Amino acid sequence: MAHDHTHDGGGGGQVSQEERKPKTPSQWQKFWVGEFAASDKMLRTFQKRAHRVVSRYLDERKNQGEDGLFDGRSNFSSLNLFNTNVETMLGIMYGQLPKVDVTREYGDSNDDPARVASLIMRRILNNCIADPGDDYTALLKDVLEDRLVPGLGCARIRYEFDMDQSEVPAMFQPDPMTGEMVEVAPAYIQEQLIDERCPTTYVHWQDLKWSYTRTWSEMRWIGFRAFMDHEAMEARFGEEIAKEVSYKNVRPQDTKNSDENDSSYQNPKPLAEIWEIWNKETKKVHWYCESCDKELEQKDDPLQLSSFWPCPPFLAANTSTTLLLPKPDYMMAQDLYEEIDILTSRIHIITEAVKVVGVYDKNSGDVERIFTEAVENELIPVDNWAMFAERGGLTGAIDWLPIEQIVGTLSTLRQIRDETINLLYQVTGMSDIMRGQTEQYTSASSDQLAAKFGSSRMQKLQESFADFASNLMRLKAEIVSRHYEVETIIKQSNIQMSPDGQNQQLVEAAIKLIKNPSMMEWRINVRPESIAMIDYAQMQTERTEYLGAVSTFMQASTPMMEKMPAAAPFLMELLKWGLAGFKGATEIEGVLDQ
């Protein structure tokens, strides 16, 4: 039997005395109707912009047929640099599945419980994200794409566990007086924990609503939308509620502010729109459906995490402290994108006009035969040659389209478009080195320098994405800390097969630290080791430096240990202290301890 506990805990805002009074389900329904109306009004502009930008990214146009091709009857031509820029940034910013790096917060060489605890947590988290059922790779890519295109990316954490139920039979024993079998213990159902997990779930930008807020810290509630059919509603909320809600055919672009006349594909199966609302003020989770006359359900937060929300702060584009409302990156350069399209359309029209055409004297009918009948090395006879020559011959009978002027205009338009594209790259931060365009005679060091300063334009976005991935892992780590059983932690980490696993006392101390979330927060740091394209040369350099440092130290310390054996413990502690600063040295320290 699978259970899904998708709740967190944390501090809430100030609640008035009136708001502290318990509300009935009908009162909560009325409350959420008002809150959602205000949220819809706030999000209307963002959602309209987001739909436009997604269509621009996919290059969807009115003259596009069902096969995805254009009928060619329109004079509009598009140079979809927005799609190219987004794909380039996706490739640069996310090139591999990140490995979770869990380390001691301060790198203290003698804090072995924290070192082993970080090793245990790192193994569990890396096993979680490598699980095919979690699909963490696709999740991060989808979140980043939502950030780069519509401007809002989000994912959430869940806690799930499986229980096995078995019936324990009743116990009987003979009565000492009568000898008859008497029941001394009744039969009962015994539950046993089988598995625990904390999967991550991608949240589409259309399936999010939140309260009016200027910053993330002031957020009062967040709503997550889900669509459920009648069978799912009946299984989740009961038959009575399943009959009360309304069901509709859902469209891909189906929001409160979407076009009602949209003829896009609809889901053939009617579904109910259910919102799971996390209310930070009440520390409760509410389930709401607009078509019902009362709140569907309300539960206390069972996870009690340090942050109430089941998701990290949104990966939102171009927000300010005035209002937490994303604005797509495309909108910041839309004038340049549209100007490039206008120039491309004009170039397309003029290019079609560049052809060898002209006019001729109707009375000189033989002139047309030069182009319609003549082949190579053939002469066309002309009647009344004297009169034809008097009129100027071919020069006087034919006047060609002034192609030089058209070609000059075409060349000017292309030059202006190239200048506009360069201006767009300056505004969006897309440098030549990122697009693989290097000069013929440049050194490797100059290319690296250009790449460094080119990428600094995107440093803020890279850091935001890394923070988002880190916060997801921190939520996973806290769920493991607060809710995983000790047996599950040992089994999923396989810590007993590591060098430190032979020290039972050290493993117990490490697990004790993990099960104390407040202490773990101060002594263990969770972050993704890498979410960009992997640099194998850099990895090799780091490991070579690591081995070189160990070799140099051992060569220098061996003579001292031979002359002064008592100095060996001090030298080993000194080696541990030095290695604690190297990435990936956690397991090697366990070998040194042995």
Side-chain angles (χ1 to χ4, degrees), residues 205-257:
W205 58 271
Q206 293 183 110
D207 297 335
L208 269 177
K209 285 185 182 179
W210 59 90
S211 64
Y212 174 89
T213 181
R214 296 175 298 182
T215 61
W216 177 264
S217 60
E218 297 178 356
M219 187 82 71
R220 293 186 293 111
W221 59 265
I222 299 176
F224 303 93
R225 182 172 66 170
F227 292 100
M228 306 174 67
D229 59 19
H230 187 276
E231 292 77 11
M233 285 292 299
E234 189 172 322
R236 175 63 180 82
F237 298 104
E239 183 178 357
E240 180 180 350
I241 292 180
K243 292 180 179 179
E244 292 182 6
V245 301
S246 61
Y247 303 84
K248 64 178 181 179
N249 299 103
V250 181
R251 296 171 297 181
Q253 295 186 358
D254 199 355
T255 62
K256 195 77 173 179
N257 306 311

Side-chain angles (χ1 to χ4, degrees), residues 41 164 196 206 231 257 325 329 344 347 511 526 537 590:
K41 184 177 180 180
D164 182 32
E196 293 176 281
Q206 293 183 110
E231 292 77 11
N257 306 311
L325 190 67
D329 291 335
T344 302
I347 291 172
I511 292 180
V526 181

Side-chain angles (χ1 to χ4, degrees), residues 328-361:
D329 291 335
Y330 175 83
M331 308 300 295
M332 313 304 290
Q334 62 176 331
D335 292 339
L336 292 173
Y337 282 114
E338 292 176 2
E339 183 177 349
I340 291 171
D341 282 347
I342 293 173
L343 291 170
T344 302
S345 297
R346 290 178 179 175
I347 291 172
H348 172 70
I349 294 172
I350 294 178
T351 301
E352 290 184 342
V354 179
K355 58 185 69 175
V356 181
V357 293
V359 294
Y360 69 94
D361 187 356

Side-chain angles (χ1 to χ4, degrees), residues 8 100-103 105 121 125 129 136 157 198 200 303 305-307 309-313 463-483 514 517 520-522 524-529:
D8 290 273
V100 183
D101 184 20
V102 186
T103 59
E105 182 67 32
M121 188 63 71
L125 295 181
I129 65 176
Y136 191 69
I157 301 290
C198 47
T200 49
L303 298 186
L305 301 182
S306 57
S307 166
W309 311 115
C311 62
E463 291 176 352
S464 299
F465 184 48
D467 288 342
F468 183 88
S470 298
N471 289 330
L472 273 177
M473 291 299 101
R474 291 190 182 100
L475 287 176
K476 277 180 172 282
E478 195 169 357
I479 288 178
V480 171
S481 175
R482 291 185 181 274
H483 300 286
I514 290 176
M520 186 186 71
E521 181 181 356
W522 291 105
I524 295 181
N525 185 29
V526 181
R527 64 179 184 271
E529 189 176 57

